[in-house]
């Protein structure tokens, strides 16, 4: 029997996938032309997908024989993934030109990576999850090696690929064990087997939990599966990293949360396991970020720390059954907009084949481009979690969840880590407002760059200002 | 009790000896006959103290602890700490080891240090050490324990840096002192926590001797049972102290460097006595560890890890004393495993037998070094058995004892360490049976021990060639040797030790040969030591049922020895020779302690300067900024440590991931097995 297809649910995914194909064909026809049709097609397709996502609504439902689930978290996740792809697509031309990377394949690959991320967001079926993760990962492997003449880019691609393949093995093995124990691939069957199943199944299930957690943890860059992150971030082209760190992470974070959530009443030990990973990630991320001089490595460790905060939310939901996903939604919203904003700033500074590498390269930003510098202030405030910007709200909600789940100690660790974070984030600002060294020419921003930057700034501030209507719109009130 | 007051004499004689050596020594030790006199006056107090100690032990009723009081010392309102001594089986065991082996080593040192110009300074320190160590074990309150603890630390520092004109020695002394401060931090907090617990307990009305053992032991078990969390905290703090003094990971790193001191010091302080004070502490305070299975599990885990880690490092060492140093660290790990497993007496038993054979091995290595013109690298040895028959014969016994060959002392204690750990009755953290795991690790380490000791013996005494014959003739232009000895060269002829050094070797060899059997037969040592034990105690069988312990431990020893002989029968293998580029990567890493030592030392020494500088400017520019900078640089120092695994090598990352996976899987399976 052919299932009835709910286009409202899978439509946006299909649109992005087709956009990628069309973009590839357009690129084949036009080549690297001045007009850059490939980019325009991609931006257009992503805009349509974004609109259709905003228009789609309706109740939470399973479609396509329960392979796809449409819930609030999933649609927000998809929205954020597409949004980050869109922003990256907007600011990339200037960067790629400045770095003299003349490869139009970037845009189709970006679209397909987006497809992978979107699929991961909207499923609780492990096999679909796996397919989504692989689509996302393989596209990212290729993208990481985009700068083919740069050894570092090549190295980061191969490194990412090898370690990613390693992690995929664990994920797949875990899924196989899950199937062996339950005869199903749906996460929601887990609870009943866990509570009422045979004891030997329980061992199999807990093994499968561990292995799946490894697979997802790798994608989220949770410690101790995080080590690829700084190396890949450092080597890959910065616009690719901008997507990796935002859109590429959203799916993984949502999957982690869904997975933790599906343990239902039985999640105590799952929660404690994830809490351990969370503590490790926060510590590793924040402590190591402190020692970094390279901007991209610093942001890599910052994203590891942020993965730790997400894991705190996941641990809480595993323990306190049926927590609202409002905390994760707000956190993701703040995280994606803020990180994108920082990357837009860094990307805008690229010039003559060079881009800012070390924190010292940020020096003089305030005099070269006050707009970039003051936007950076907003983003840094948000990253630290100071009010009144969105990063603050997300962290606040996660802390609240942790307290609801009786994880007061975890909340304390998280607060302490946020304080650590202040040290290195402020280091970025200190450089930005220091007198210029070397190049002191003013930085001019293109229209797409200005647009992206203002969207991020407005979003980061707006999330707090319009917090109540936003909640109402999301149907969470 | 008239007889027991004699214990003051045991304590007083070494102090007298110290004073005499320190005040009059430098006027008398200029001539050879003066040195003989000073040597005699150094050995005599310790020997007499031993005889007195033995007499007191003989008349001791094992079931009763006697407190010999007391000189008023600290008197405050509501608190009095007298200078009082406790005579019981535990303290007397240690007294006999300290004075008995101490006397033998003093005797040995009169020969070993004969060419030394600072003769009496050496013996002054050595006598002071004996006195401090006796205060540590004999004191009847926590403050005296602390005084002794710090006193032996001081003496250890002074003796490691005995040849202080050599910068390396001075640095090693500083390192020992500084690392021990970390441990002392834990000990101090632990002691004060215990005293505070006792002082605030409701039942203590009217008692002022709040630090004294008899008072503490009476009230502590009940208090700890009511507050298990506090019990864990107290046990862990004491354990930190024990880790420092007894050279356990992560604080072991001072002990290998401490071998820079004269060999008798290594034998007495850094093998037989001082480094075992951690074990003594855990015996004394066993009720604290009994009250916390989690802390005991930590003790077991740290002990087992240290044992394994040090044993592996020992394979990468070419300096004969370094091999023995790591083997000491490793054997101390065994003692900790026993204490963690709840078999405190087994820990003390291993302390005793280890004192016999490790002192013997150190003195033997000293004899070899003495015979080889102060050359310590085993790659210059070979075929020494025919030159040094006494040294060879006695060291062979020590070697067989440490390897765990049945019948010799090391076999009995090691078997019981492994057995008590495998029984798994005490050290359990959650569902994780740390004790059992530690037991299995110890079994592996036992085989490794036999193997690296075989390596040491074969490189030194056997082989095909006399390696030092290949050394080029010494050029006078190279300058004076540090201690006024002549250099080793191809014409060198090794000479056997003088009589004064041979006696201790033979005596210790006899103890290593028969001591274990004597103490183990009929559970003699256990019944004697545990007779005066106070407080709760888990029953821990040393030969758990269902495990062929005898076969396993003999198997491990035989396996290790055979493997060692197979590899080293022909003497120095090329891939361990002078050309270190031929060494396997693993052995090179093991030689460098897998980078642990340099990591700690470099990160501490290079960044602490930055830290203090930032604190300094901080006070100029306002305290808040200073605090911020300080915390920032402290964390970036920590970041530097983590960063060292961020090597950029995919295989490294993959292995760390794999370790993460294995730990995660184990954790999940074990914790879900708990039934949630």
């Amino acid at each position: 029997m052919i299932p009835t297809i709910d286009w409202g649910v899978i439509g946006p995914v299909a649109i992005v996938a087709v956009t990628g194909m069309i973009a590839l064909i357009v690129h084949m026809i036009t080549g690297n032309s001045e007009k850059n049709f490939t980019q325009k097609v991609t931006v257009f397709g992503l805009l349509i997908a974004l609109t259709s996502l905003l228009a789609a609504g309706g109740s939470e439902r399973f479609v396509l024989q329960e392979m796809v689930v449409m819930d609030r978290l999933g649609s927000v996740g998809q929205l954020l993934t597409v949004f980050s792809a869109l922003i990256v697509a907007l600011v990339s031309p200037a960067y790629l030109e400045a770095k003299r990377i003349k490869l139009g394949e970037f845009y189709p690959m970006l679209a397909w990576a987006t497809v992978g991320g979107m699929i991961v967001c909207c499923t609780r079926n492990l096999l679909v999850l796996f397919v989504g993760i692989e689509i996302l990962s393989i596209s990212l492997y290729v993208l990481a090696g985009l700068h083919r003449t740069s050894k570092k880019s090549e190295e980061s691609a191969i490194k990412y690929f090898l370690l990613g393949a390693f992690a995929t093995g664990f994920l797949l093995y875990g899924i196989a064990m899950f199937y062996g124990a339950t005869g199903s691939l749906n996460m929601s069957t887990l609870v009943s087997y866990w509570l009422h199943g045979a004891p030997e199944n329980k061992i199999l299930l807990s093994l499968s939990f561990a292995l799946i957690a490894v697979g997802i943890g790798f994608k989220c860059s949770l410690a101790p599966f995080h080590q690829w992150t700084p190396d890949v971030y450092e080597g890959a082209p910065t616009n690719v990293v901008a997507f990796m760190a935002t859109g590429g992470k959203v799916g993984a974070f949502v999957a982690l949360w869904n997975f933790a959530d599906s343990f239902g009443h039985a999640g105590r030990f799952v929660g404690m396991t994830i809490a351990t990973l969370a503590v490790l990630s926060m510590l590793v991320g924040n402590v190591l970020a402190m020692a970094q001089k390279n901007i991209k490595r610093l942001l890599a460790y910052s994203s590891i720390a942020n993965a730790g905060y997400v894991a705190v939310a996941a641990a809480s939901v595993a323990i306190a059954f049926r927590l609202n996903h409002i905390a994760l939604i707000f956190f993701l919203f703040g995280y994606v907009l803020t990180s994108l904003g920082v990357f837009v700033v860094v990307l805008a500074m690229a010039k003559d084949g060079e881009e800012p590498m070390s924190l010292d390269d940020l020096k003089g930003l305030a005099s070269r481009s006050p707009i970039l510098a003051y936007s950076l202030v907003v983003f840094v405030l948000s990253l630290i979690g100071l009010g009144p910007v969105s990063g603050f709200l997300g962290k606040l909600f996660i802390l609240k969840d942790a307290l609801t789940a009786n994880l007061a100690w975890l909340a304390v660790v998280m607060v302490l880590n946020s304080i650590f974070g202040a040290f290195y984030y402020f280091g970025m600002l200190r450089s930005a407002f220091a007198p210029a060294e070397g190049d002191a020419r003013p930085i001019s921003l293109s229209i797409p760059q200005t647009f992206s930057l203002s969207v991020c700034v407005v979003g980061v501030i707006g999330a707090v200002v319009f917090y109540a209507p936003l909640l109402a719109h999301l149907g969470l009130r | 009790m008239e007889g027991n007051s004699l214990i003051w004499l045991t304590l007083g004689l070494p102090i007298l000896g110290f004073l005499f050596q320190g005040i009059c020594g430098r006027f008398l030790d200029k001539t050879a006959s003066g040195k003989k006199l000073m040597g005699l006056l150094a050995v005599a107090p310790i020997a007499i103290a031993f005889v007195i100690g033995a007499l007191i032990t003989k008349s001791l009723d094992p079931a009763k602890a006697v407190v010999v009081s007391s000189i008023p010392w600290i008197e405050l309102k509501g608190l009095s700490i007298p200078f009082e001594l406790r005579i019981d089986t535990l303290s007397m065991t240690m007294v006999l080891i300290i004075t008995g082996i101490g006397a033998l080593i003093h005797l040995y040192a009169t020969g070993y240090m004969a060419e030394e110009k600072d003769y009496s300074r050496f013996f002054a320190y050595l006598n002071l050490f004996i006195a401090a160590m006796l205060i540590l074990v004999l004191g009847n309150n926590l403050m005296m324990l602390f005084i002794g603890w710090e006193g032996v630390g001081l003496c250890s520092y002074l003796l490691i840096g005995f040849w202080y004109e050599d910068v390396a020695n001075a640095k090693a002394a500083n390192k020992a002192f500084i690392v021990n401060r970390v441990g002392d931090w834990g000990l101090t907090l632990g002691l004060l926590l215990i005293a505070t617990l006792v002082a605030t307990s409701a039942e203590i009305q009217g008692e002022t001797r709040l630090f004294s053992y008899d008072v503490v032991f009476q009230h502590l078990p009940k208090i700890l049972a009511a507050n298990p969390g506090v019990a864990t905290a107290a046990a862990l703090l004491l354990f930190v102290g024990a880790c420092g003094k007894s050279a356990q990971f992560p604080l072991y790193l001072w002990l290998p460097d401490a071998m820079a001191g004269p060999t008798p010091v290594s034998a007495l302080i850094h093998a037989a006595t001082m480094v075992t004070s951690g074990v003594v502490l855990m015996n004394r305070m066993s009720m604290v560890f009994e009250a916390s299975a989690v802390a005991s599990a930590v003790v077991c885990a740290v002990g087992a890890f240290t044992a394994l880690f040090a044993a592996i490092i020992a394979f990468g060492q070419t300096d004969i004393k370094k091999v023995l140093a790591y083997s000491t660290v490793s054997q101390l790990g065994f003692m900790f495993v026993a204490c963690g497993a709840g078999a405190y007496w087994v820990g003390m038993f291993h302390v005793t037998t280890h004192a016999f054979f490790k002192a013997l091995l150190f003195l033997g290595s000293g004899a070899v070094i003495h015979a080889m013109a102060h050359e310590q690298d085993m790659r210059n040895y070979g075929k020494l058995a025919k030159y040094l028959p006494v040294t060879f014969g006695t060291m062979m016994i020590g070697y067989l004892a440490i390897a765990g060959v049945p019948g010799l002392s090391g076999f009995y204690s090691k078997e019981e360490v492994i057995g008590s750990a495998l029984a798994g009755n005490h050290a359990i953290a959650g569902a994780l049976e740390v004790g059992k795991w530690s037991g299995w690790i110890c079994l592996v380490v036992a085989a490794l021990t036999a193997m690296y000791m075989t390596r040491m013996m074969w490189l030194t005494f056997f082989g095909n060639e006399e390696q030092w014959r290949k050394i080029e003739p010494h050029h006078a232009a190279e300058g004076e040797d540090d201690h006024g000895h002549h250099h080793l060269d191809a014409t060198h002829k090794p000479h056997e030790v003088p009589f004064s050094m041979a006696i201790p070797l033979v005596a210790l060899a006899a103890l290593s040969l028969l001591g274990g059997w004597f103490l183990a037969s009929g559970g003699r040592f256990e019944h004697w030591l545990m007779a005066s034990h106070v407080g709760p105690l888990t029953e821990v069988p040393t030969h758990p049922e269902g495990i062929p312990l005898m076969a396993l431990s003999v198997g491990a020893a035989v396996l290790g020895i055979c493997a060692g002989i197979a590899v080293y029968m022909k003497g120095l293998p090329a891939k361990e020779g002078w050309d270190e580029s031929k060494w396997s990567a693993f052995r090179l890493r093991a030689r460098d302690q897998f980078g642990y030592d340099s990591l700690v030392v470099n990160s501490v020494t290079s960044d602490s300067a930055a830290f203090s500088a930032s604190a300094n400017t901080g006070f100029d520019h306002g305290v808040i900024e200073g605090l911020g900078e300080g915390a920032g640089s402290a964390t970036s120092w920590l970041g530097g440590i983590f960063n060292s695994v961020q090597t950029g090598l995919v295989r490294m990352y993959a292995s760390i991931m794999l370790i993460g996976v294995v730990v995660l899987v184990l954790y999940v399976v074990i914790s879900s097995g708990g039934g949630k």
Side-chain angles (χ1 to χ4, degrees):
Chain A
M1 185 194 84
I2 300 171
T4 49
I5 294 174
D6 188 337
W7 285 106
V9 174
I10 62 163
V13 182
I15 292 173
V16 180
V18 172
T19 301
M21 295 173 196
I22 297 177
L24 190 66
I25 295 169
V26 168
H27 179 67
M28 277 160 60
I29 298 170
T30 62
N32 296 320
S33 84
E34 287 293 308
K35 301 233 163 119
N36 211 345
F37 290 111
T38 324
Q39 187 242 355
K40 291 195 171 104
V41 167
T42 312
V43 168
F44 184 65
L46 288 171
L47 267 175
I48 295 177
L50 199 64
T51 326
S52 66
L53 273 171
L54 284 170
S59 57
E60 183 168 324
R61 60 192 187 275
F62 285 93
V63 294
L64 291 173
Q65 296 181 321
E66 302 205 336
M67 283 204 281
V68 174
V69 59
M70 207 59 226
D71 59 359
R72 198 54 73 182
L73 180 62
S75 52
V76 172
Q78 291 194 337
L79 200 66
L80 289 172
T81 312
V82 175
F83 175 76
S84 19
L86 183 64
I87 296 289
V88 170
L90 279 176
V91 296
S92 283
Y95 172 80
L96 291 176
E97 196 165 325
K99 288 281 279 183
R100 310 202 172 97
I101 307 173
K102 295 216 163 153
L103 286 169
E105 289 90 340
F106 171 71
Y107 300 100
M109 294 311 296
L110 178 69
W112 292 329
T114 312
V115 170
M118 289 171 82
I119 293 177
V120 175
C121 283
C122 68
T123 185
R124 291 200 171 199
N125 181 302
L126 286 169
L127 209 55
V128 178
L129 177 79
F130 175 75
V131 170
I133 284 186
E134 284 309 287
I135 295 178
L136 173 64
S137 304
I138 292 173
S139 313
L140 288 180
Y141 301 152
V142 177
L143 283 174
L146 191 71
H147 196 180
R148 286 203 305 223
T149 49
S150 150
K151 270 195 182 152
K152 281 212 151 176
S153 176
E154 296 275 276
E155 183 190 329
S156 82
I158 197 81
K159 217 177 242 180
Y160 192 18
F161 169 67
L162 287 174
L163 292 171
F166 195 53
T168 296
F170 288 115
L171 176 64
L172 208 50
Y173 200 24
I175 293 174
M177 285 191 178
F178 186 95
Y179 188 76
T182 64
S184 153
L185 284 165
N186 204 320
M187 292 183 205
S188 26
T189 55
L190 211 156
V191 186
S192 59
Y193 279 94
W194 183 258
L195 291 177
H196 313 300
E200 62 269 23
N201 274 355
K202 212 167 160 179
I203 291 284
L204 214 53
L205 267 182
S206 43
L207 271 177
S208 84
F209 158 70
L211 294 173
I212 292 174
V214 171
I216 299 181
F218 177 85
K219 286 314 293 177
C220 297
S221 344
L222 280 177
F225 316 112
H226 66 282
Q227 288 197 306
W228 59 276
T229 320
D231 289 19
V232 172
Y233 277 28
E234 189 186 2
T238 309
N239 57 341
V240 174
V241 178
F243 181 74
M244 260 184 213
T246 53
K249 282 277 191 303
V250 170
F253 289 163
V254 172
L256 178 69
W257 199 89
N258 277 337
F259 188 55
D261 184 40
S262 60
F263 273 83
H265 313 285
R268 178 90 205 155
F269 95 95
V270 176
M272 295 316 284
T273 313
I274 298 178
T276 315
L277 295 181
V279 172
L280 264 181
S281 309
M282 289 190 282
L283 279 178
V284 166
N286 281 320
V287 170
L288 279 178
M290 206 93 63
Q292 302 305 322
K293 299 275 178 283
N294 181 304
I295 298 176
K296 277 154 88 182
R297 288 188 82 88
L298 187 149
L299 290 171
Y301 283 111
S302 146
S303 80
I304 293 169
N306 275 296
Y309 304 144
V310 171
V312 172
S316 313
V317 76
I319 289 175
F321 179 52
R322 283 293 165 203
L323 268 181
N324 212 319
H325 41 226
I326 178 172
L328 187 63
I329 288 181
F330 261 92
F331 184 83
L332 286 181
F333 191 82
Y335 171 72
V336 167
L337 286 174
T338 313
S339 311
L340 266 180
V342 176
F343 276 108
V344 169
V345 172
V346 176
L347 286 168
M349 291 182 73
K351 204 158 217 173
D352 304 333
E354 297 294 327
E355 62 180 310
M357 295 304 288
S358 78
L359 283 178
D360 287 342
D361 293 343
L362 285 179
K363 281 186 179 166
L365 184 66
S367 56
R368 294 173 68 190
S369 170
I371 299 179
L372 285 182
Y374 286 101
S375 308
L376 193 63
V377 173
V378 174
F379 301 138
V380 163
L381 286 182
S382 177
L383 281 172
I384 295 172
L386 290 176
V389 280
S390 67
F392 165 71
L393 267 189
K395 274 191 191 160
L396 184 71
F397 286 137
I398 290 185
L399 284 174
K400 211 175 112 221
D401 277 6
L403 292 177
T404 315
N406 278 328
L407 289 171
W409 63 273
L410 193 58
V412 172
V413 173
M414 183 169 156
V415 170
L416 287 178
N417 266 287
S418 303
I419 298 172
F420 276 153
F423 283 109
Y424 59 88
Y425 290 132
F426 269 129
M428 287 169 69
L429 281 191
R430 194 168 54 192
S431 295
F433 284 86
E437 285 173 7
D439 189 4
R441 286 172 294 170
I443 301 169
S444 57
L445 295 180
S446 67
I447 294 171
Q449 282 172 336
T450 321
F451 172 75
S452 310
L453 199 63
S454 33
V455 169
C456 290
V457 172
V458 169
V460 168
I461 298 175
V464 178
V465 179
F466 301 108
Y467 145 76
L470 209 60
L471 276 185
H473 175 74
L474 290 168
L476 296 171
R477 266 268 167 101
Chain B
M1 281 288 231
E2 202 45 41
N4 284 327
S5 303
L6 282 173
I7 196 73
W8 288 109
L9 214 51
T10 305
L11 181 57
L13 282 169
I15 297 180
L16 276 179
F18 158 66
L19 291 175
F20 181 75
Q21 298 278 346
I23 295 168
C24 312
R26 59 191 147 140
F27 305 114
L28 295 172
D29 69 355
K30 297 284 176 269
T31 60
S33 57
K35 275 189 179 171
K36 277 227 172 75
L37 176 68
M38 294 315 290
L40 182 68
L41 287 176
V43 178
I46 316 296
I48 299 171
F50 171 71
V51 173
I52 297 171
L55 288 176
I56 293 174
T57 311
K58 198 155 174 276
S59 64
L60 179 69
D61 176 5
K64 246 167 73 182
V66 184
V67 177
V68 182
S69 53
S70 70
I71 305 164
W73 178 26
I74 297 174
E75 293 288 342
L76 298 170
K77 189 169 184 293
L79 173 69
S80 66
I81 306 174
F83 209 83
E84 56 191 347
L85 303 182
R86 180 185 184 88
I87 302 178
D88 63 5
T89 49
L90 177 61
S91 64
M92 289 319 288
T93 307
M94 283 310 289
V95 166
L96 292 184
I97 293 176
I98 296 161
T99 53
I101 295 185
L104 289 173
I105 293 175
H106 272 69
L107 177 62
Y108 178 93
T110 57
Y112 190 85
M113 304 296 282
E115 297 170 28
E116 194 57 49
K117 55 179 192 289
D118 265 341
Y119 196 69
S120 61
R121 181 162 66 87
F122 179 77
F123 283 109
Y125 291 162
L126 220 50
N127 277 349
L128 181 63
F129 167 77
I130 299 275
M133 192 71 204
L134 287 173
I135 291 177
L136 196 167
V137 298
L138 275 171
N140 184 45
N141 57 52
L142 299 172
M143 278 299 119
M144 287 184 69
L145 173 85
F146 182 73
I147 295 289
W149 193 274
E150 297 302 319
V152 292
L154 171 70
C155 295
S156 158
Y157 164 79
L158 291 172
L159 284 163
I160 295 168
F162 180 72
W163 289 310
Y164 55 84
E165 285 159 4
D166 189 341
V167 177
N169 289 18
K171 276 193 175 165
N174 277 342
K175 188 170 173 186
F177 201 77
I178 292 164
V179 174
N180 266 300
R181 298 256 66 72
V182 180
D184 293 350
W185 161 82
L187 178 80
T188 316
L189 287 183
L191 295 183
L192 291 178
L193 178 59
I194 289 171
T196 313
L197 283 177
V198 175
T200 50
S201 133
E203 294 165 25
I204 201 79
Q205 297 298 335
E207 181 59 73
T208 56
R209 287 163 57 240
L210 297 177
F211 282 82
S212 297
Y213 291 147
D214 37 336
V215 177
V216 171
F217 290 170
Q218 194 187 338
H219 298 283
L220 200 55
K222 215 183 285 175
I223 302 170
L224 291 178
N227 306 296
V230 180
T232 304
L236 288 177
L237 285 170
L238 291 181
F239 175 61
V240 170
C243 271
K245 200 59 89 200
S246 291
Q248 295 296 290
F249 191 88
L251 299 178
Y252 77 90
L253 69 178
W254 64 272
L255 186 58
D257 287 28
M259 296 304 143
T263 303
V265 172
S266 310
L268 177 61
I269 301 184
H270 303 124
T273 55
M274 186 188 84
V275 288
T276 60
S277 29
V279 185
V280 177
L281 174 72
M282 287 167 64
N283 266 270
R284 193 48 99 195
M285 291 290 152
S286 63
M287 60 183 60
V288 182
F289 290 88
E290 275 298 311
S292 170
V294 177
S296 298
V298 173
V299 174
C300 257
V302 170
F305 177 75
T306 310
L308 182 63
F309 191 62
I312 293 171
I313 295 174
F315 279 95
Q317 305 303 319
T318 54
D319 181 325
I320 187 168
K321 281 182 75 179
K322 282 277 165 75
V323 175
L324 289 173
Y326 284 107
S327 117
T328 305
V329 174
S330 177
Q331 297 299 313
L332 287 166
F334 273 81
M335 299 169 202
F336 273 60
V337 168
C339 290
Y344 303 96
W345 74 269
V346 175
M348 280 310 293
F349 188 28
H350 201 53
V351 166
T352 312
T353 57
H354 178 257
F356 297 157
F357 61 71
K358 190 49 70 64
L360 169 61
L361 285 168
F362 262 115
L363 295 186
S365 78
V368 172
I369 295 167
H370 194 72
M372 298 301 286
H374 285 246
E375 174 59 53
Q376 302 193 3
D377 199 311
M378 297 189 294
R379 289 172 292 189
N380 274 330
Y381 297 169
K383 294 184 83 171
L384 285 175
K386 71 172 180 191
Y387 295 103
L388 312 170
V390 178
T391 308
F392 168 64
T394 49
M395 263 186 103
M396 203 65 195
I397 292 173
Y399 151 66
L400 292 174
I402 193 177
V405 170
L408 283 85
S409 60
F411 167 74
Y412 292 100
S413 54
K414 211 182 273 188
E415 187 192 22
E416 274 163 353
V417 170
I418 297 171
S420 56
L422 286 181
N425 284 12
H426 185 47
I428 296 168
L432 197 59
E433 301 208 33
V434 180
K436 278 192 184 167
W437 286 94
S438 315
W440 291 115
I441 293 175
C442 283
L443 191 66
V444 174
V445 178
L448 290 177
T449 308
M451 187 168 168
Y452 70 71
M453 289 308 293
T454 311
R455 170 175 180 267
M456 185 194 94
M457 291 300 286
W458 250 253
L459 292 188
T460 305
F461 291 109
F462 300 98
N464 290 338
E465 326 175 60
E466 300 173 347
Q467 301 281 353
W468 74 92
R469 301 283 179 217
K470 297 184 202 158
I471 300 179
E472 312 234 322
H474 167 58
H475 300 291
E478 276 177 25
E480 274 300 298
D481 185 80
D482 291 327
H483 319 308
H485 306 293
H486 70 92
H487 276 273
L488 185 68
D489 57 30
T491 58
H492 182 78
K493 189 172 180 333
H495 48 91
E496 182 59 287
V497 290
F499 192 60
S500 63
M501 288 165 73
I503 296 175
L505 285 176
V506 174
L508 285 170
L511 284 171
S512 305
L513 191 61
L514 301 172
W517 167 78
F518 175 75
L519 292 173
S521 52
R524 188 176 280 146
F525 188 76
E526 177 184 10
H527 295 144
W528 190 68
L529 189 70
M530 296 319 277
S532 63
H533 185 271
V534 201
L537 194 65
T538 323
E539 187 66 30
V540 179
T542 51
H543 292 76
E545 279 173 38
I547 299 173
L549 187 60
M550 175 76 120
L552 283 175
S553 51
V554 173
V558 171
L559 187 73
I561 292 175
C562 292
I565 292 177
V567 177
Y568 298 103
M569 192 164 68
K570 298 220 169 108
L572 190 67
K575 62 175 185 190
E576 290 180 33
W578 288 101
D579 184 1
E580 289 177 7
S581 59
K582 284 187 190 153
W583 286 29
S584 71
F586 188 75
R587 194 181 293 277
L588 275 172
R589 294 236 182 103
R591 182 195 63 181
D592 300 332
Q593 308 177 34
F594 300 94
Y596 175 72
D597 182 81
S598 57
L599 182 73
V600 173
V601 173
N602 289 343
S603 50
V604 172
T605 49
S606 56
D607 266 52
S608 61
F611 182 88
S612 38
S614 77
N616 187 21
T617 50
F619 274 105
D620 285 347
H621 299 288
V623 178
I624 299 296
E625 193 186 334
L627 280 178
E629 295 262 329
S633 71
T635 12
S636 59
W637 162 70
L638 202 63
I641 291 183
F642 281 134
N643 228 353
S644 62
V645 294
Q646 195 75 30
T647 52
L649 295 178
V650 173
R651 57 173 183 273
M652 175 87 172
Y653 295 175
S655 358
I656 287 179
M657 252 176 87
L658 193 62
I659 293 169
V661 172
V662 170
V663 171
L664 190 69
V665 166
L666 280 178
Y667 175 77
V668 162
V669 170
I670 288 163
S671 62
S672 71
K676 278 281 172 75

